[in-house]
PDB file of all heavy atoms in Angstrom:
ATOM      1  N   TYR A   1       0.844  -1.203  -0.049  1.00 96.00           N
ATOM      2  CA  TYR A   1      -0.020  -0.046   0.026  1.00 96.00           C
ATOM      3  C   TYR A   1       0.855   1.233   0.034  1.00 96.00           C
ATOM      4  O   TYR A   1       0.544   2.203  -0.634  1.00 96.00           O
ATOM      5  CB  TYR A   1      -0.954   0.035   1.205  1.00 96.00           C
ATOM      6  CG  TYR A   1      -2.274  -0.799   1.052  1.00 96.00           C
ATOM      7  CD1 TYR A   1      -2.558  -1.876   1.708  1.00 96.00           C
ATOM      8  CD2 TYR A   1      -3.136  -0.377  -0.004  1.00 96.00           C
ATOM      9  CE1 TYR A   1      -3.692  -2.627   1.620  1.00 96.00           C
ATOM     10  CE2 TYR A   1      -4.272  -1.075  -0.183  1.00 96.00           C
ATOM     11  CZ  TYR A   1      -4.537  -2.107   0.588  1.00 96.00           C
ATOM     12  OH  TYR A   1      -5.753  -2.852   0.339  1.00 96.00           O
ATOM     13  N   GLU A   2       2.009   1.264   0.730  1.00 96.00           N
ATOM     14  CA  GLU A   2       2.904   2.363   0.719  1.00 96.00           C
ATOM     15  C   GLU A   2       3.436   2.596  -0.783  1.00 96.00           C
ATOM     16  O   GLU A   2       3.509   3.786  -1.122  1.00 96.00           O
ATOM     17  CB  GLU A   2       4.182   2.031   1.557  1.00 96.00           C
ATOM     18  CG  GLU A   2       3.868   1.991   3.015  1.00 96.00           C
ATOM     19  CD  GLU A   2       5.024   1.588   3.845  1.00 96.00           C
ATOM     20  OE1 GLU A   2       6.178   2.085   3.466  1.00 96.00           O
ATOM     21  OE2 GLU A   2       4.954   0.899   4.850  1.00 96.00           O
ATOM     22  N   ASP A   3       3.760   1.552  -1.546  1.00 97.00           N
ATOM     23  CA  ASP A   3       4.162   1.719  -2.851  1.00 97.00           C
ATOM     24  C   ASP A   3       3.040   2.172  -3.708  1.00 97.00           C
ATOM     25  O   ASP A   3       3.306   2.919  -4.654  1.00 97.00           O
ATOM     26  CB  ASP A   3       4.718   0.409  -3.435  1.00 97.00           C
ATOM     27  CG  ASP A   3       6.258   0.145  -3.092  1.00 97.00           C
ATOM     28  OD1 ASP A   3       6.684   0.914  -2.273  1.00 97.00           O
ATOM     29  OD2 ASP A   3       6.799  -0.872  -3.401  1.00 97.00           O
ATOM     30  N   LYS A   4       1.777   1.861  -3.444  1.00 97.00           N
ATOM     31  CA  LYS A   4       0.713   2.336  -4.221  1.00 97.00           C
ATOM     32  C   LYS A   4       0.574   3.784  -4.142  1.00 97.00           C
ATOM     33  O   LYS A   4       0.543   4.482  -5.256  1.00 97.00           O
ATOM     34  CB  LYS A   4      -0.503   1.555  -3.746  1.00 97.00           C
ATOM     35  CG  LYS A   4      -1.873   2.038  -4.454  1.00 97.00           C
ATOM     36  CD  LYS A   4      -3.055   1.407  -3.897  1.00 97.00           C
ATOM     37  CE  LYS A   4      -4.399   1.927  -4.571  1.00 97.00           C
ATOM     38  NZ  LYS A   4      -5.572   1.191  -4.113  1.00 97.00           N
ATOM     39  N   VAL A   5       0.568   4.353  -2.918  1.00 96.00           N
ATOM     40  CA  VAL A   5       0.351   5.795  -2.831  1.00 96.00           C
ATOM     41  C   VAL A   5       1.731   6.491  -3.261  1.00 96.00           C
ATOM     42  O   VAL A   5       1.759   7.729  -3.510  1.00 96.00           O
ATOM     43  CB  VAL A   5       0.031   6.134  -1.446  1.00 96.00           C
ATOM     44  CG1 VAL A   5      -1.383   5.702  -1.101  1.00 96.00           C
ATOM     45  CG2 VAL A   5       1.050   5.785  -0.265  1.00 96.00           C
ATOM     46  N   GLY A   6       2.919   5.834  -3.232  1.00 96.00           N
ATOM     47  CA  GLY A   6       4.209   6.370  -3.611  1.00 96.00           C
ATOM     48  C   GLY A   6       4.446   6.269  -5.079  1.00 96.00           C
ATOM     49  O   GLY A   6       5.448   6.706  -5.460  1.00 96.00           O
ATOM     50  N   ARG A   7       3.422   5.769  -5.804  1.00 97.00           N
ATOM     51  CA  ARG A   7       3.402   5.636  -7.299  1.00 97.00           C
ATOM     52  C   ARG A   7       4.594   4.728  -7.827  1.00 97.00           C
ATOM     53  O   ARG A   7       5.139   5.209  -8.848  1.00 97.00           O
ATOM     54  CB  ARG A   7       3.425   6.958  -7.924  1.00 97.00           C
ATOM     55  CG  ARG A   7       2.058   7.917  -7.626  1.00 97.00           C
ATOM     56  CD  ARG A   7       2.130   9.228  -7.860  1.00 97.00           C
ATOM     57  NE  ARG A   7       3.044   9.940  -6.980  1.00 97.00           N
ATOM     58  CZ  ARG A   7       3.228  11.285  -6.811  1.00 97.00           C
ATOM     59  NH1 ARG A   7       2.591  12.098  -7.636  1.00 97.00           N
ATOM     60  NH2 ARG A   7       4.021  11.828  -5.996  1.00 97.00           N
ATOM     61  N   ARG A   8       4.804   3.834  -7.197  1.00 97.00           N
ATOM     62  CA  ARG A   8       5.978   2.938  -7.639  1.00 97.00           C
ATOM     63  C   ARG A   8       5.485   1.400  -7.486  1.00 97.00           C
ATOM     64  O   ARG A   8       6.392   0.439  -7.602  1.00 97.00           O
ATOM     65  CB  ARG A   8       7.198   3.088  -6.725  1.00 97.00           C
ATOM     66  CG  ARG A   8       7.008   2.915  -5.291  1.00 97.00           C
ATOM     67  CD  ARG A   8       8.281   3.234  -4.561  1.00 97.00           C
ATOM     68  NE  ARG A   8       7.864   3.280  -3.178  1.00 97.00           N
ATOM     69  CZ  ARG A   8       7.610   4.376  -2.419  1.00 97.00           C
ATOM     70  NH1 ARG A   8       7.817   5.532  -2.896  1.00 97.00           N
ATOM     71  NH2 ARG A   8       7.314   4.249  -1.072  1.00 97.00           N
ATOM     72  N   VAL A   9       4.171   1.096  -7.478  1.00 97.00           N
ATOM     73  CA  VAL A   9       3.690  -0.241  -7.356  1.00 97.00           C
ATOM     74  C   VAL A   9       3.696  -0.877  -8.799  1.00 97.00           C
ATOM     75  O   VAL A   9       3.438  -0.145  -9.724  1.00 97.00           O
ATOM     76  CB  VAL A   9       2.346  -0.460  -6.597  1.00 97.00           C
ATOM     77  CG1 VAL A   9       1.197   0.018  -7.442  1.00 97.00           C
ATOM     78  CG2 VAL A   9       2.228  -1.664  -5.978  1.00 97.00           C
ATOM     79  N   ILE A  10       3.713  -2.173  -8.785  1.00 98.00           N
ATOM     80  CA  ILE A  10       3.476  -2.882 -10.013  1.00 98.00           C
ATOM     81  C   ILE A  10       2.017  -3.317 -10.097  1.00 98.00           C
ATOM     82  O   ILE A  10       1.652  -3.961  -8.986  1.00 98.00           O
ATOM     83  CB  ILE A  10       4.388  -4.234 -10.207  1.00 98.00           C
ATOM     84  CG1 ILE A  10       5.792  -3.503 -10.699  1.00 98.00           C
ATOM     85  CG2 ILE A  10       3.929  -5.085 -11.398  1.00 98.00           C
ATOM     86  CD1 ILE A  10       6.709  -3.093  -9.485  1.00 98.00           C
ATOM     87  N   ARG A  11       1.343  -3.049 -11.047  1.00 98.00           N
ATOM     88  CA  ARG A  11      -0.192  -3.474 -11.091  1.00 98.00           C
ATOM     89  C   ARG A  11      -0.464  -4.637 -12.056  1.00 98.00           C
ATOM     90  O   ARG A  11       0.508  -5.019 -12.880  1.00 98.00           O
ATOM     91  CB  ARG A  11      -1.006  -2.304 -11.582  1.00 98.00           C
ATOM     92  CG  ARG A  11      -0.894  -1.101 -10.630  1.00 98.00           C
ATOM     93  CD  ARG A  11      -1.839   0.058 -10.604  1.00 98.00           C
ATOM     94  NE  ARG A  11      -2.043   0.606 -11.905  1.00 98.00           N
ATOM     95  CZ  ARG A  11      -2.930   1.590 -12.176  1.00 98.00           C
ATOM     96  NH1 ARG A  11      -3.805   1.940 -11.237  1.00 98.00           N
ATOM     97  NH2 ARG A  11      -3.036   2.121 -13.403  1.00 98.00           N
ATOM     98  N   VAL A  12      -1.531  -5.324 -11.872  1.00 98.00           N
ATOM     99  CA  VAL A  12      -1.774  -6.512 -12.703  1.00 98.00           C
ATOM    100  C   VAL A  12      -1.543  -6.183 -14.162  1.00 98.00           C
ATOM    101  O   VAL A  12      -1.013  -7.074 -14.954  1.00 98.00           O
ATOM    102  CB  VAL A  12      -3.248  -6.945 -12.474  1.00 98.00           C
ATOM    103  CG1 VAL A  12      -3.581  -8.067 -13.521  1.00 98.00           C
ATOM    104  CG2 VAL A  12      -3.518  -7.460 -11.107  1.00 98.00           C
ATOM    105  N   ALA A  13      -2.142  -5.068 -14.719  1.00 98.00           N
ATOM    106  CA  ALA A  13      -2.064  -4.789 -16.185  1.00 98.00           C
ATOM    107  C   ALA A  13      -0.583  -4.689 -16.755  1.00 98.00           C
ATOM    108  O   ALA A  13      -0.251  -4.952 -17.882  1.00 98.00           O
ATOM    109  CB  ALA A  13      -2.752  -3.383 -16.414  1.00 98.00           C
ATOM    110  N   ASP A  14       0.398  -4.293 -15.675  1.00 98.00           N
ATOM    111  CA  ASP A  14       1.777  -4.099 -16.101  1.00 98.00           C
ATOM    112  C   ASP A  14       2.385  -5.499 -16.474  1.00 98.00           C
ATOM    113  O   ASP A  14       3.347  -5.490 -17.268  1.00 98.00           O
ATOM    114  CB  ASP A  14       2.566  -3.483 -14.960  1.00 98.00           C
ATOM    115  CG  ASP A  14       2.037  -2.221 -14.540  1.00 98.00           C
ATOM    116  OD1 ASP A  14       1.493  -1.466 -15.445  1.00 98.00           O
ATOM    117  OD2 ASP A  14       2.290  -1.811 -13.337  1.00 98.00           O
ATOM    118  N   LEU A  15       1.859  -6.561 -16.084  1.00 98.00           N
ATOM    119  CA  LEU A  15       2.315  -7.860 -16.392  1.00 98.00           C
ATOM    120  C   LEU A  15       2.238  -8.195 -17.950  1.00 98.00           C
ATOM    121  O   LEU A  15       3.001  -9.146 -18.429  1.00 98.00           O
ATOM    122  CB  LEU A  15       1.556  -8.957 -15.724  1.00 98.00           C
ATOM    123  CG  LEU A  15       1.756  -8.971 -14.102  1.00 98.00           C
ATOM    124  CD1 LEU A  15       0.907 -10.059 -13.451  1.00 98.00           C
ATOM    125  CD2 LEU A  15       3.238  -9.203 -13.663  1.00 98.00           C
ATOM    126  N   ALA A  16       1.345  -7.540 -18.684  1.00 98.00           N
ATOM    127  CA  ALA A  16       1.075  -7.806 -19.923  1.00 98.00           C
ATOM    128  C   ALA A  16       2.167  -7.102 -21.020  1.00 98.00           C
ATOM    129  O   ALA A  16       2.097  -7.503 -22.162  1.00 98.00           O
ATOM    130  CB  ALA A  16      -0.332  -7.419 -20.382  1.00 98.00           C
ATOM    131  N   ASP A  17       2.944  -6.189 -20.463  1.00 97.00           N
ATOM    132  CA  ASP A  17       3.772  -5.431 -21.239  1.00 97.00           C
ATOM    133  C   ASP A  17       5.229  -5.532 -20.650  1.00 97.00           C
ATOM    134  O   ASP A  17       5.500  -4.922 -19.605  1.00 97.00           O
ATOM    135  CB  ASP A  17       3.275  -4.099 -21.561  1.00 97.00           C
ATOM    136  CG  ASP A  17       4.170  -3.270 -22.481  1.00 97.00           C
ATOM    137  OD1 ASP A  17       4.339  -3.644 -23.695  1.00 97.00           O
ATOM    138  OD2 ASP A  17       5.008  -2.412 -21.989  1.00 97.00           O
ATOM    139  N   GLU A  18       6.226  -6.105 -21.396  1.00 96.00           N
ATOM    140  CA  GLU A  18       7.523  -6.232 -20.889  1.00 96.00           C
ATOM    141  C   GLU A  18       8.145  -4.818 -20.656  1.00 96.00           C
ATOM    142  O   GLU A  18       8.807  -4.676 -19.547  1.00 96.00           O
ATOM    143  CB  GLU A  18       8.377  -6.895 -21.955  1.00 96.00           C
ATOM    144  CG  GLU A  18       9.823  -7.228 -21.456  1.00 96.00           C
ATOM    145  CD  GLU A  18      10.028  -8.293 -20.469  1.00 96.00           C
ATOM    146  OE1 GLU A  18       9.041  -9.084 -20.253  1.00 96.00           O
ATOM    147  OE2 GLU A  18      11.025  -8.356 -19.752  1.00 96.00           O
ATOM    148  N   ALA A  19       8.055  -3.886 -21.526  1.00 97.00           N
ATOM    149  CA  ALA A  19       8.784  -2.575 -21.349  1.00 97.00           C
ATOM    150  C   ALA A  19       8.192  -1.843 -20.057  1.00 97.00           C
ATOM    151  O   ALA A  19       8.941  -1.246 -19.213  1.00 97.00           O
ATOM    152  CB  ALA A  19       8.626  -1.689 -22.588  1.00 97.00           C
ATOM    153  N   THR A  20       6.823  -1.986 -19.896  1.00 97.00           N
ATOM    154  CA  THR A  20       6.162  -1.248 -18.756  1.00 97.00           C
ATOM    155  C   THR A  20       6.752  -2.022 -17.524  1.00 97.00           C
ATOM    156  O   THR A  20       6.970  -1.296 -16.457  1.00 97.00           O
ATOM    157  CB  THR A  20       4.674  -1.323 -18.909  1.00 97.00           C
ATOM    158  OG1 THR A  20       4.353  -0.556 -20.186  1.00 97.00           O
ATOM    159  CG2 THR A  20       4.089  -0.643 -17.743  1.00 97.00           C
ATOM    160  N   LEU A  21       6.708  -3.286 -17.505  1.00 98.00           N
ATOM    161  CA  LEU A  21       7.143  -4.085 -16.406  1.00 98.00           C
ATOM    162  C   LEU A  21       8.478  -3.809 -15.864  1.00 98.00           C
ATOM    163  O   LEU A  21       8.667  -3.446 -14.656  1.00 98.00           O
ATOM    164  CB  LEU A  21       6.953  -5.566 -16.619  1.00 98.00           C
ATOM    165  CG  LEU A  21       7.256  -6.495 -15.439  1.00 98.00           C
ATOM    166  CD1 LEU A  21       6.301  -6.239 -14.255  1.00 98.00           C
ATOM    167  CD2 LEU A  21       7.218  -7.878 -15.788  1.00 98.00           C
ATOM    168  N   GLU A  22       9.413  -3.736 -16.729  1.00 97.00           N
ATOM    169  CA  GLU A  22      10.808  -3.279 -16.462  1.00 97.00           C
ATOM    170  C   GLU A  22      10.918  -1.894 -15.920  1.00 97.00           C
ATOM    171  O   GLU A  22      11.621  -1.731 -14.928  1.00 97.00           O
ATOM    172  CB  GLU A  22      11.729  -3.613 -17.578  1.00 97.00           C
ATOM    173  CG  GLU A  22      11.943  -4.963 -18.040  1.00 97.00           C
ATOM    174  CD  GLU A  22      13.049  -5.252 -18.969  1.00 97.00           C
ATOM    175  OE1 GLU A  22      13.990  -4.441 -18.904  1.00 97.00           O
ATOM    176  OE2 GLU A  22      13.081  -6.151 -19.716  1.00 97.00           O
ATOM    177  N   LEU A  23      10.225  -1.020 -16.458  1.00 97.00           N
ATOM    178  CA  LEU A  23      10.156   0.389 -16.119  1.00 97.00           C
ATOM    179  C   LEU A  23       9.655   0.625 -14.620  1.00 97.00           C
ATOM    180  O   LEU A  23      10.257   1.180 -13.788  1.00 97.00           O
ATOM    181  CB  LEU A  23       9.360   1.337 -16.911  1.00 97.00           C
ATOM    182  CG  LEU A  23       9.300   2.767 -16.663  1.00 97.00           C
ATOM    183  CD1 LEU A  23      10.692   3.410 -16.865  1.00 97.00           C
ATOM    184  CD2 LEU A  23       8.204   3.489 -17.554  1.00 97.00           C
ATOM    185  N   ARG A  24       8.520  -0.224 -14.349  1.00 97.00           N
ATOM    186  CA  ARG A  24       7.980  -0.170 -12.960  1.00 97.00           C
ATOM    187  C   ARG A  24       8.940  -0.865 -12.025  1.00 97.00           C
ATOM    188  O   ARG A  24       8.981  -0.245 -10.938  1.00 97.00           O
ATOM    189  CB  ARG A  24       6.603  -0.910 -12.932  1.00 97.00           C
ATOM    190  CG  ARG A  24       5.543  -0.269 -13.916  1.00 97.00           C
ATOM    191  CD  ARG A  24       4.833   0.959 -13.208  1.00 97.00           C
ATOM    192  NE  ARG A  24       3.711   1.317 -13.980  1.00 97.00           N
ATOM    193  CZ  ARG A  24       3.658   2.193 -15.063  1.00 97.00           C
ATOM    194  NH1 ARG A  24       4.759   2.733 -15.408  1.00 97.00           N
ATOM    195  NH2 ARG A  24       2.522   2.432 -15.639  1.00 97.00           N
ATOM    196  N   ILE A  25       9.456  -1.781 -12.341  1.00 98.00           N
ATOM    197  CA  ILE A  25      10.341  -2.548 -11.405  1.00 98.00           C
ATOM    198  C   ILE A  25      11.615  -1.565 -11.233  1.00 98.00           C
ATOM    199  O   ILE A  25      11.994  -1.469  -9.906  1.00 98.00           O
ATOM    200  CB  ILE A  25      10.936  -3.938 -11.963  1.00 98.00           C
ATOM    201  CG1 ILE A  25       9.808  -4.930 -12.005  1.00 98.00           C
ATOM    202  CG2 ILE A  25      12.155  -4.421 -11.218  1.00 98.00           C
ATOM    203  CD1 ILE A  25       9.479  -5.462 -10.543  1.00 98.00           C
ATOM    204  N   ASP A  26      12.097  -1.007 -12.075  1.00 98.00           N
ATOM    205  CA  ASP A  26      13.292  -0.114 -11.889  1.00 98.00           C
ATOM    206  C   ASP A  26      12.948   1.137 -11.003  1.00 98.00           C
ATOM    207  O   ASP A  26      13.689   1.614 -10.181  1.00 98.00           O
ATOM    208  CB  ASP A  26      13.908   0.417 -13.255  1.00 98.00           C
ATOM    209  CG  ASP A  26      14.580  -0.636 -14.022  1.00 98.00           C
ATOM    210  OD1 ASP A  26      15.004  -1.705 -13.395  1.00 98.00           O
ATOM    211  OD2 ASP A  26      14.660  -0.455 -15.216  1.00 98.00           O
ATOM    212  N   ARG A  27      11.718   1.675 -11.182  1.00 97.00           N
ATOM    213  CA  ARG A  27      11.366   2.773 -10.349  1.00 97.00           C
ATOM    214  C   ARG A  27      11.107   2.228  -8.954  1.00 97.00           C
ATOM    215  O   ARG A  27      11.526   2.907  -8.028  1.00 97.00           O
ATOM    216  CB  ARG A  27      10.032   3.252 -10.859  1.00 97.00           C
ATOM    217  CG  ARG A  27       9.423   4.397 -10.013  1.00 97.00           C
ATOM    218  CD  ARG A  27       8.128   4.979 -10.629  1.00 97.00           C
ATOM    219  NE  ARG A  27       7.605   6.037  -9.755  1.00 97.00           N
ATOM    220  CZ  ARG A  27       7.927   7.257  -9.546  1.00 97.00           C
ATOM    221  NH1 ARG A  27       8.869   7.687 -10.449  1.00 97.00           N
ATOM    222  NH2 ARG A  27       7.303   8.156  -8.858  1.00 97.00           N
ATOM    223  N   ALA A  28      10.623   1.122  -8.657  1.00 98.00           N
ATOM    224  CA  ALA A  28      10.386   0.514  -7.397  1.00 98.00           C
ATOM    225  C   ALA A  28      11.692   0.342  -6.666  1.00 98.00           C
ATOM    226  O   ALA A  28      11.950   0.648  -5.521  1.00 98.00           O
ATOM    227  CB  ALA A  28       9.526  -0.733  -7.398  1.00 98.00           C
ATOM    228  N   LEU A  29      12.776  -0.295  -7.361  1.00 98.00           N
ATOM    229  CA  LEU A  29      13.971  -0.605  -6.752  1.00 98.00           C
ATOM    230  C   LEU A  29      14.852   0.485  -6.427  1.00 98.00           C
ATOM    231  O   LEU A  29      15.605   0.624  -5.495  1.00 98.00           O
ATOM    232  CB  LEU A  29      14.782  -1.561  -7.696  1.00 98.00           C
ATOM    233  CG  LEU A  29      14.250  -2.970  -7.982  1.00 98.00           C
ATOM    234  CD1 LEU A  29      15.128  -3.877  -8.635  1.00 98.00           C
ATOM    235  CD2 LEU A  29      13.618  -3.560  -6.641  1.00 98.00           C
ATOM    236  N   LEU A  30      14.540   1.815  -7.025  1.00 97.00           N
ATOM    237  CA  LEU A  30      15.243   2.980  -6.735  1.00 97.00           C
ATOM    238  C   LEU A  30      14.957   3.228  -5.267  1.00 97.00           C
ATOM    239  O   LEU A  30      15.650   3.956  -4.493  1.00 97.00           O
ATOM    240  CB  LEU A  30      14.870   4.119  -7.607  1.00 97.00           C
ATOM    241  CG  LEU A  30      15.621   4.046  -9.015  1.00 97.00           C
ATOM    242  CD1 LEU A  30      14.957   5.220  -9.911  1.00 97.00           C
ATOM    243  CD2 LEU A  30      17.175   4.349  -8.837  1.00 97.00           C
ATOM    244  N   HIS A  31      13.745   2.962  -4.868  1.00 97.00           N
ATOM    245  CA  HIS A  31      13.269   3.139  -3.509  1.00 97.00           C
ATOM    246  C   HIS A  31      13.721   2.107  -2.618  1.00 97.00           C
ATOM    247  O   HIS A  31      14.241   2.246  -1.460  1.00 97.00           O
ATOM    248  CB  HIS A  31      11.659   3.322  -3.473  1.00 97.00           C
ATOM    249  CG  HIS A  31      11.153   3.451  -2.029  1.00 97.00           C
ATOM    250  ND1 HIS A  31      11.079   4.439  -1.214  1.00 97.00           N
ATOM    251  CD2 HIS A  31      10.564   2.378  -1.356  1.00 97.00           C
ATOM    252  CE1 HIS A  31      10.540   4.230  -0.187  1.00 97.00           C
ATOM    253  NE2 HIS A  31      10.257   2.946  -0.089  1.00 97.00           N
ATOM    254  N   HIS A  32      13.442   0.774  -2.949  1.00 97.00           N
ATOM    255  CA  HIS A  32      13.651  -0.387  -2.064  1.00 97.00           C
ATOM    256  C   HIS A  32      15.102  -0.687  -1.825  1.00 97.00           C
ATOM    257  O   HIS A  32      15.412  -1.067  -0.576  1.00 97.00           O
ATOM    258  CB  HIS A  32      12.864  -1.600  -2.576  1.00 97.00           C
ATOM    259  CG  HIS A  32      11.366  -1.383  -2.212  1.00 97.00           C
ATOM    260  ND1 HIS A  32      10.774  -1.942  -1.061  1.00 97.00           N
ATOM    261  CD2 HIS A  32      10.314  -1.022  -3.053  1.00 97.00           C
ATOM    262  CE1 HIS A  32       9.484  -1.783  -1.104  1.00 97.00           C
ATOM    263  NE2 HIS A  32       9.228  -1.195  -2.310  1.00 97.00           N
ATOM    264  N   ASP A  33      15.970  -0.650  -2.843  1.00 97.00           N
ATOM    265  CA  ASP A  33      17.303  -1.024  -2.504  1.00 97.00           C
ATOM    266  C   ASP A  33      18.018  -0.225  -1.507  1.00 97.00           C
ATOM    267  O   ASP A  33      18.575  -0.840  -0.430  1.00 97.00           O
ATOM    268  CB  ASP A  33      18.135  -1.073  -3.782  1.00 97.00           C
ATOM    269  CG  ASP A  33      17.936  -2.338  -4.552  1.00 97.00           C
ATOM    270  OD1 ASP A  33      17.427  -3.345  -4.012  1.00 97.00           O
ATOM    271  OD2 ASP A  33      18.139  -2.525  -5.895  1.00 97.00           O
ATOM    272  N   PRO A  34      17.907   1.125  -1.394  1.00 97.00           N
ATOM    273  CA  PRO A  34      18.520   1.830  -0.319  1.00 97.00           C
ATOM    274  C   PRO A  34      17.788   1.627   0.941  1.00 97.00           C
ATOM    275  O   PRO A  34      18.440   1.606   2.141  1.00 97.00           O
ATOM    276  CB  PRO A  34      18.266   3.326  -0.774  1.00 97.00           C
ATOM    277  CG  PRO A  34      18.190   3.327  -2.268  1.00 97.00           C
ATOM    278  CD  PRO A  34      17.480   1.949  -2.509  1.00 97.00           C
ATOM    279  N   LEU A  35      16.468   1.384   0.968  1.00 95.00           N
ATOM    280  CA  LEU A  35      15.832   1.006   2.281  1.00 95.00           C
ATOM    281  C   LEU A  35      16.320  -0.269   2.697  1.00 95.00           C
ATOM    282  O   LEU A  35      16.590  -0.455   3.964  1.00 95.00           O
ATOM    283  CB  LEU A  35      14.316   0.958   1.928  1.00 95.00           C
ATOM    284  CG  LEU A  35      13.308   0.867   3.128  1.00 95.00           C
ATOM    285  CD1 LEU A  35      13.620   2.019   4.118  1.00 95.00           C
ATOM    286  CD2 LEU A  35      11.963   1.013   2.611  1.00 95.00           C
ATOM    287  N   ARG A  36      16.488  -1.152   1.887  1.00 95.00           N
ATOM    288  CA  ARG A  36      16.944  -2.609   2.319  1.00 95.00           C
ATOM    289  C   ARG A  36      18.350  -2.506   2.913  1.00 95.00           C
ATOM    290  O   ARG A  36      18.621  -3.291   3.857  1.00 95.00           O
ATOM    291  CB  ARG A  36      16.841  -3.516   1.102  1.00 95.00           C
ATOM    292  CG  ARG A  36      15.459  -3.905   0.585  1.00 95.00           C
ATOM    293  CD  ARG A  36      15.523  -4.650  -0.731  1.00 95.00           C
ATOM    294  NE  ARG A  36      16.030  -6.002  -0.600  1.00 95.00           N
ATOM    295  CZ  ARG A  36      15.406  -7.060  -0.264  1.00 95.00           C
ATOM    296  NH1 ARG A  36      14.119  -7.028  -0.100  1.00 95.00           N
ATOM    297  NH2 ARG A  36      16.040  -8.285  -0.153  1.00 95.00           N
ATOM    298  N   LYS A  37      19.221  -1.672   2.260  1.00 95.00           N
ATOM    299  CA  LYS A  37      20.585  -1.441   2.740  1.00 95.00           C
ATOM    300  C   LYS A  37      20.615  -0.985   4.285  1.00 95.00           C
ATOM    301  O   LYS A  37      21.305  -1.533   5.029  1.00 95.00           O
ATOM    302  CB  LYS A  37      21.336  -0.578   1.893  1.00 95.00           C
ATOM    303  CG  LYS A  37      22.720  -0.476   2.318  1.00 95.00           C
ATOM    304  CD  LYS A  37      23.586   0.402   1.285  1.00 95.00           C
ATOM    305  CE  LYS A  37      25.076   0.470   1.646  1.00 95.00           C
ATOM    306  NZ  LYS A  37      25.813   1.353   0.742  1.00 95.00           N
ATOM    307  N   GLY A  38      19.611  -0.183   4.497  1.00 92.00           N
ATOM    308  CA  GLY A  38      19.564   0.306   5.876  1.00 92.00           C
ATOM    309  C   GLY A  38      19.175  -0.666   6.902  1.00 92.00           C
ATOM    310  O   GLY A  38      19.488  -0.509   8.056  1.00 92.00           O
TER     311      GLY A  38
END
């Protein structure tokens, strides 16, 4: 839910398009990887 309101979630429709899926994942990891490191 945090990712949803942070506009970095992957949605069901994103699974249907490779380019969109990769873009969404990259946006999410920009947030999650630094957080995970901490």
Side-chain angles (χ1 to χ4, degrees):
Y1 276 116
E2 290 175 41
D3 279 1
K4 176 181 178 178
V5 298
R7 294 165 291 185
R8 55 180 173 265
V9 83
I10 287 81
R11 305 197 296 181
V12 170
D14 299 333
L15 297 174
D17 181 71
E18 181 74 18
T20 301
L21 182 60
E22 291 196 25
L23 182 66
R24 297 282 192 269
I25 288 292
D26 288 341
R27 179 176 175 82
L29 296 190
L30 281 174
H31 171 82
H32 279 274
D33 278 341
L35 188 58
R36 291 170 66 89
K37 185 177 181 180

